Amino acid sequence: MNEPVISVGILTESAINFELYGEFNSSAYPRKLSGKFSAFIRDKKIVLTKEGNELLTKEEIVITPADFETESFLLRDVKIGKNFHWEKYEDQRFRGSLKLIIEDDKITAVNIIPLEEYLLSVISSEMSASSSLELLKAHAVVSRSWLIAQLNNKKQKKDSKISSEFIINEKEIIKWYDREEHLLYDFCSDDHCQRYQGVLRLVNDAAFAAIEETRGMVLTYNGEVCDTRFSKCCGGITESFENVWAPVKYPYLSSIIDYKFEPDGYFVDLTKEDFAVKWIKGSPHAFCNTTDQKILSQVLVDYDQTTRDFYRWKVEYTQDEISEIIFKKSGIDFGSIKDLLPAERGYSGRITKLRILGTKSEILVGKELEIRKWLSKSHLYSSAFIVHKEKIKNGIPERFILEGAGWGHGVGLCQIGAAVMGEMGYSFDEILSHYFKGTRLEKAY
């Protein structure tokens, strides 16, 4: 195969402001385009203006650089970290073509760009471009493999849109969310797909080298490109695919201990409640068990570092806070919350089914992301947690304390663990073989 050219949805708003640096062309406009522009919708068409003057009106506008290497465009007020605790807006600059389309009665700005150019930004957006070369190379392979696997899936399921499943009745609400295929472009630019924040993100020689030295390389299993996943911190044991998303087993996305050997003093079958409690309350050896700021600053971009505790964390709620959050997130009036009971855990100790007991309602909720949504104003760091109740009066606690492990779903590559491995001298292929058992490193193009 040849290197794919992909389309990435960057932002969707009722009006979009952007700047073109250099000379750009559009088949819908006879002259070169450069400078500051605005776009809005009128009569179901996109109106492009410059300094208040209308230039053209079309249902879709494609603006292409005269020179890919030297020209770029800037999008104003791009939301990043949507619905997460680090959500904010920033201006972002991109290379490649800009496509403006109408989506859900708003304008979506889409970047059309070669896959390897896109990856250069991804590995610098998902983490610091000053990370170790071996970590950046490993992440380049993981991100590339995931991208190509999604493109292959899209070709095989031409009419498929939904990659999620709901079980909803009076007793349980079980939802799992995989990446829903975008109909009008290949990927989005936020955590829903992969972080992609343009060329303003710090990109240094190591990031360039990581892309060049792994160009076209992917992980395969039984001859197919792997659907590789990653999260910030597994908490010491990674989770298996089927406990987070679809009930399908991928051998290369099975649970593994994030270390060279099993830690002493722990039973690692964390599907059992007693073992999970001891694991989460403890601090067993693991690659991702680090507080080394030098390593963490390589892996974590500025807004990620608002979070200080990755391996083990604690969240406290008053009765009013927890009942209000659950009501707001679930739409269900539980009354006062009496208890949060793990009904099922995955291999990493992540709760896949949680029973919420209230004075008015009782519901079983899952899977892990739905649990994380219901128990936080944004997202709980992970669903690997244990619950402490304090000041119980008439069966109703005045305070809940959640002690937890890890950050994210925990499937596949553990970014902090991989960063530690890189600093310890592991090569990128050793990092990959640790997190993705039984895979092969091959050239896709």
Side-chain angles (χ1 to χ4, degrees):
M1 65 180 292
N2 296 321
E3 178 186 351
V5 174
I6 62 175
S7 56
V8 187
I10 309 298
L11 82 160
T12 301
E13 297 290 346
S14 55
I16 290 177
N17 297 311
F18 63 95
E19 297 179 27
L20 302 178
Y21 298 99
E23 294 186 340
F24 285 73
N25 302 303
S26 175
S27 60
Y29 192 71
R31 296 193 292 275
K32 299 288 186 182
L33 295 170
S34 184
K36 298 180 179 181
F37 297 84
S38 296
F40 62 91
I41 296 176
R42 185 178 64 206
D43 299 329
K44 297 183 178 181
K45 290 186 177 180
I46 300 171
V47 179
L48 184 66
T49 67
K50 181 178 182 181
E51 297 175 352
N53 299 314
E54 294 188 10
L55 300 184
L56 62 100
T57 303
K58 295 277 289 184
E59 293 179 351
E60 178 180 295
I61 299 172
V62 180
I63 300 171
T64 305
D67 187 327
F68 178 87
E69 296 297 329
T70 60
E71 324 289 40
S72 64
F73 64 89
L74 182 138
L75 294 173
R76 296 286 184 192
D77 299 322
V78 179
K79 182 186 289 187
I80 63 174
K82 184 178 179 181
N83 296 327
F84 285 88
H85 60 281
W86 61 85
E87 180 179 299
K88 67 176 184 177
Y89 291 86
E90 66 179 22
D91 298 339
Q92 295 180 352
R93 193 163 174 172
F94 302 88
R95 297 211 293 183
S97 298
L98 170 63
K99 184 178 182 180
L100 301 176
I101 61 175
I102 297 177
E103 184 180 30
D104 298 328
D105 297 322
K106 292 185 177 182
I107 301 175
T108 294
V110 179
N111 185 200
I112 301 172
I113 192 166
L115 187 145
E116 297 293 331
E117 178 75 19
Y118 165 83
L119 280 180
L120 182 62
S121 174
V122 165
I123 64 171
S124 303
S125 299
E126 286 287 350
M127 60 188 69
S128 169
S130 62
S131 303
S132 70
L133 178 59
E134 296 306 304
L135 170 62
L136 291 173
K137 287 163 68 174
H139 212 295
V141 173
V142 169
S143 294
R144 186 183 296 110
S145 301
W146 183 85
L147 285 164
I148 293 177
Q150 303 312 309
L151 293 174
N152 290 343
N153 289 341
K154 195 171 185 178
K155 290 177 184 177
Q156 294 167 7
K157 302 182 296 181
K158 293 181 180 178
D159 299 322
S160 175
K161 177 187 176 184
I162 303 299
S163 294
S164 57
E165 184 174 293
F166 302 151
I167 300 173
I168 301 177
N169 55 51
E170 291 182 355
K171 295 183 178 180
E172 62 180 338
I173 297 176
I174 308 299
K175 299 182 180 182
W176 57 263
Y177 304 82
D178 205 343
R179 174 189 166 268
E180 292 185 2
E181 293 179 358
H182 300 289
L183 297 181
L184 302 180
Y185 41 88
D186 296 321
F187 306 99
C188 67
S189 61
D190 215 349
D191 294 75
H192 174 261
C193 290
Q194 295 190 98
R195 290 184 188 174
Y196 170 60
Q197 293 162 6
V199 295
L200 281 184
R201 185 65 53 191
L202 177 64
V203 177
N204 64 13
D205 291 343
F208 281 107
I211 295 299
E212 287 304 312
E213 292 179 23
T214 67
R215 180 171 291 272
M217 288 186 186
V218 295
L219 287 177
T220 65
Y221 188 88
N222 286 344
E224 293 188 0
V225 178
C226 294
D227 183 359
T228 44
R229 305 293 171 114
F230 57 87
S231 65
K232 274 288 178 280
C233 179
C234 69
I237 297 181
T238 69
E239 191 49 78
S240 62
F241 179 92
E242 68 272 15
N243 284 334
V244 175
W245 295 291
V248 178
K249 288 185 180 292
Y250 291 99
Y252 58 87
L253 291 178
S254 297
S255 177
I256 60 107
I257 295 167
D258 191 27
Y259 202 54
K260 296 174 283 188
F261 46 80
E262 289 190 12
D264 292 334
Y266 294 90
F267 294 100
V268 294
D269 181 3
L270 303 190
T271 62
K272 293 181 169 58
E273 189 64 23
D274 289 347
F275 299 162
V277 169
K278 183 176 181 180
W279 180 267
I280 293 170
K281 289 180 69 68
S283 184
H285 287 302
F287 287 125
C288 61
N289 185 359
T290 182
T291 57
D292 187 327
Q293 288 302 310
K294 176 177 179 290
I295 295 175
L296 292 176
S297 65
Q298 291 175 0
V299 178
L300 306 169
V301 293
D302 53 0
Y303 45 87
D304 285 337
Q305 292 187 55
T306 59
T307 304
R308 293 296 179 187
D309 302 316
F310 304 96
Y311 193 65
R312 296 293 183 266
W313 49 265
K314 182 185 293 185
V315 175
E316 299 186 13
Y317 295 118
T318 65
Q319 174 64 232
D320 288 344
E321 288 171 337
I322 190 72
S323 57
E324 181 182 351
I325 288 172
I326 293 176
F327 173 67
K328 184 176 180 180
K329 288 302 191 76
S330 69
I332 299 169
D333 184 4
F334 284 87
S336 297
I337 304 300
K338 296 192 294 183
D339 213 341
L340 305 171
L341 298 172
E344 180 181 280
R345 289 187 185 268
Y347 302 108
S348 68
R350 282 168 171 79
I351 301 172
T352 56
K353 291 183 180 179
L354 177 73
R355 189 172 302 282
I356 301 179
L357 301 177
T359 55
K360 295 182 179 179
S361 297
E362 176 182 334
I363 289 285
L364 190 68
V365 61
K367 293 183 176 182
E368 68 90 33
L369 182 55
E370 194 70 1
I371 294 168
R372 291 166 62 198
K373 286 181 175 182
W374 282 30
L375 297 183
S376 173
K377 291 181 179 179
S378 54
H379 290 71
L380 202 63
Y381 297 135
S382 86
S383 69
F385 61 84
I386 55 179
V387 180
H388 304 282
K389 297 171 291 180
E390 293 184 348
K391 299 181 180 179
I392 301 173
K393 296 181 180 180
N394 299 320
I396 299 173
E398 291 186 6
R399 179 175 294 274
F400 285 85
I401 300 173
L402 276 54
E403 286 187 66
W407 185 10
H409 53 67
V411 178
L413 181 86
C414 172
Q415 289 177 312
I416 292 178
V420 171
M421 292 182 72
E423 287 297 312
M424 291 175 67
Y426 286 88
S427 64
F428 81 100
D429 53 329
E430 289 174 322
I431 295 172
L432 293 171
S433 63
H434 169 67
Y435 288 106
F436 304 98
K437 300 298 185 186
T439 57
R440 294 184 60 183
L441 196 59
E442 296 187 41
K443 275 271 201 178
Y445 50 84

